[in-house]
Amino acid sequence: MNASLPTPEAPAGHYNFKHTIVNIAPVSRPIVLWNLLDFSHVNWVHRRNYKYCKVLAESNLTTLLEYGVRMFFFLGLPYSSALLMWHEYVPPGIVRHISRSPWGTYTKVEMVLEESSTPDGVQTQLTHHYATHLPFFLLPFKRLFIWYIEAWSERLWQEDSGMLLRRQRVLQAGFKDHPADVVPRAAEGFLA
Amino acid sequence: MAKHKLISITELQQKKQHTMWVGQQEVLAVFTSQGVRVYSGMCPHQGGPLGEGKFENDKVTCPWHGCEFELSQGGCTDIGACRNVSGMHLKALEFSEESGHIYVEAP
């Protein structure tokens, strides 16, 4: 599908909370990118944080997704809330997404991937720049919100790290992915 | 090619499945209702760790994307959350049973 999927813009001055998280993985940038652009694994690997992840529509670099977000993951509650996300890959090393909550606030995340050499080989630094809107009554609790974002991110990163290391190992062992069908058979979304 | 000892049949019968790396090949030995089967431990979709998957009723489900394979022939019975793939099959590996142990041929 090559329909244009421009990412939405939040109203000016919307973002009143920003936070940055840095992760480093001892793998190459294409492997981290593979993980960031693989939405299917969210349904399995990240089941503790997401009830589901559905691709609604996609163009070459942008994907419109619906996520069932387990907002109270830290309490182990099964409740999830549907969230729309526009996910965009900006070659060669930026992935950004913007999501809209059911109550109308936006959250924007820009992920910058930087590969560098190490004595042992290569590593990729993944920097997440978060920006969101906190309602006025939550503004005094910014520290709590930082804890929430970091706990959320750490949990996902722990789950992804194992995937990244294994992906690198199997590729180094000569593994080749099963080829994708020439005619796409996905029919998940309204444009499919 | 050399012959590598994987596991004793008795132990596999108890554990039901056993995974190990032999050189550059990850090997998955399973004890099914049809007998012993030996496959590559890398999910044919994107190399997921089948050994860490869910084993039930002679089937394994890959923990990365939910691809399900039946273990007697290796065919894919459910593509899980994968998109745009078909015709996946587990890679069967040559093996032998000698003196109560399973051996696999690998470089």
Side-chain angles (χ1 to χ4, degrees):
Chain A
M1 234 175 300
N2 287 310
S4 176
L5 277 175
T7 49
E9 283 290 330
H14 182 74
Y15 301 110
N16 61 1
F17 174 86
K18 292 182 181 175
H19 189 59
T20 298
I21 292 176
V22 177
N23 294 121
I24 295 174
V27 301
S28 65
R29 185 168 70 182
I31 290 178
V32 180
L33 198 54
W34 161 79
N35 180 261
L36 291 176
L37 300 179
D38 172 25
F39 307 112
S40 304
H41 84 278
V42 174
N43 289 291
W44 287 83
V45 178
H46 302 311
R47 274 178 297 185
R48 294 189 306 165
N49 286 45
Y50 297 101
K51 187 176 182 186
Y52 64 89
C53 169
K54 221 188 267 187
V55 174
L56 300 178
E58 58 189 340
S59 62
N60 288 341
L61 299 174
T62 309
T63 311
L64 176 61
L65 302 152
E66 183 186 315
Y67 280 94
V69 181
R70 298 190 197 275
M71 310 193 82
F72 301 107
F73 70 96
F74 53 93
L75 296 174
L77 296 178
Y79 168 79
S80 70
S81 174
L83 189 139
L84 271 184
M85 178 188 284
W86 287 259
H87 190 286
E88 183 184 20
Y89 169 44
V90 184
I94 293 177
V95 173
R96 58 169 76 112
H97 55 75
I98 182 166
S99 50
R100 193 174 65 204
S101 70
W103 45 92
T105 59
Y106 288 88
T107 298
K108 173 173 85 168
V109 183
E110 180 164 289
M111 288 162 279
V112 182
L113 294 87
E114 295 162 297
E115 185 182 287
S116 57
S117 300
T118 68
D120 299 326
V122 71
Q123 69 175 27
T124 300
Q125 176 173 302
L126 177 58
T127 308
H128 296 75
H129 298 286
Y130 289 88
T132 192
H133 175 84
L134 288 182
F136 73 92
F137 58 88
L138 283 181
L139 284 174
F141 304 105
K142 275 188 177 179
R143 279 179 180 276
L144 200 61
F145 208 69
I146 289 172
W147 171 85
Y148 180 87
I149 287 182
E150 289 188 345
W152 175 274
S153 182
E154 177 61 19
R155 198 151 142 153
L156 295 180
W157 182 247
Q158 286 303 322
E159 291 165 347
D160 280 333
S161 297
M163 248 182 126
L164 297 176
L165 292 173
R166 179 177 172 89
R167 178 72 174 169
Q168 176 159 272
R169 184 170 188 185
V170 299
L171 291 178
Q172 284 171 348
F175 176 82
K176 298 269 187 288
D177 287 345
H178 186 82
D181 288 350
V182 177
V183 179
R185 50 200 294 270
E188 295 175 323
F190 54 82
L191 290 182
Chain B
M1 295 287 266
K3 199 182 266 189
H4 300 266
K5 189 194 273 187
L6 281 183
I7 187 172
S8 76
I9 296 172
T10 317
E11 199 184 339
L12 184 62
Q13 218 164 349
Q14 289 162 356
K15 286 176 63 182
K16 299 295 180 198
Q17 59 98 0
H18 176 71
T19 310
M20 68 182 279
W21 281 83
V22 178
Q24 293 287 71
Q25 176 66 63
E26 189 183 37
V27 180
L28 169 69
V30 285
F31 195 89
T32 74
S33 58
Q34 310 286 309
V36 175
R37 299 287 187 274
V38 179
Y39 297 107
S40 165
M42 302 173 193
C43 176
H45 175 229
Q46 294 194 329
L50 291 174
E52 295 171 22
K54 182 179 166 193
F55 289 81
E56 206 171 61
N57 301 326
D58 282 355
K59 288 179 181 174
V60 61
T61 305
C62 178
W64 278 7
H65 302 94
C67 302
E68 182 188 85
F69 302 89
E70 59 84 20
L71 291 167
S72 60
Q73 301 292 319
C76 179
T77 49
D78 189 336
I79 63 167
C82 302
R83 304 169 66 222
N84 307 330
V85 288
S86 55
M88 287 192 291
H89 206 278
L90 295 181
K91 182 182 169 189
L93 303 178
E94 290 286 326
F95 72 98
S96 56
E97 297 179 16
E98 290 171 36
S99 314
H101 285 81
I102 298 163
Y103 291 83
V104 67
E105 295 275 344

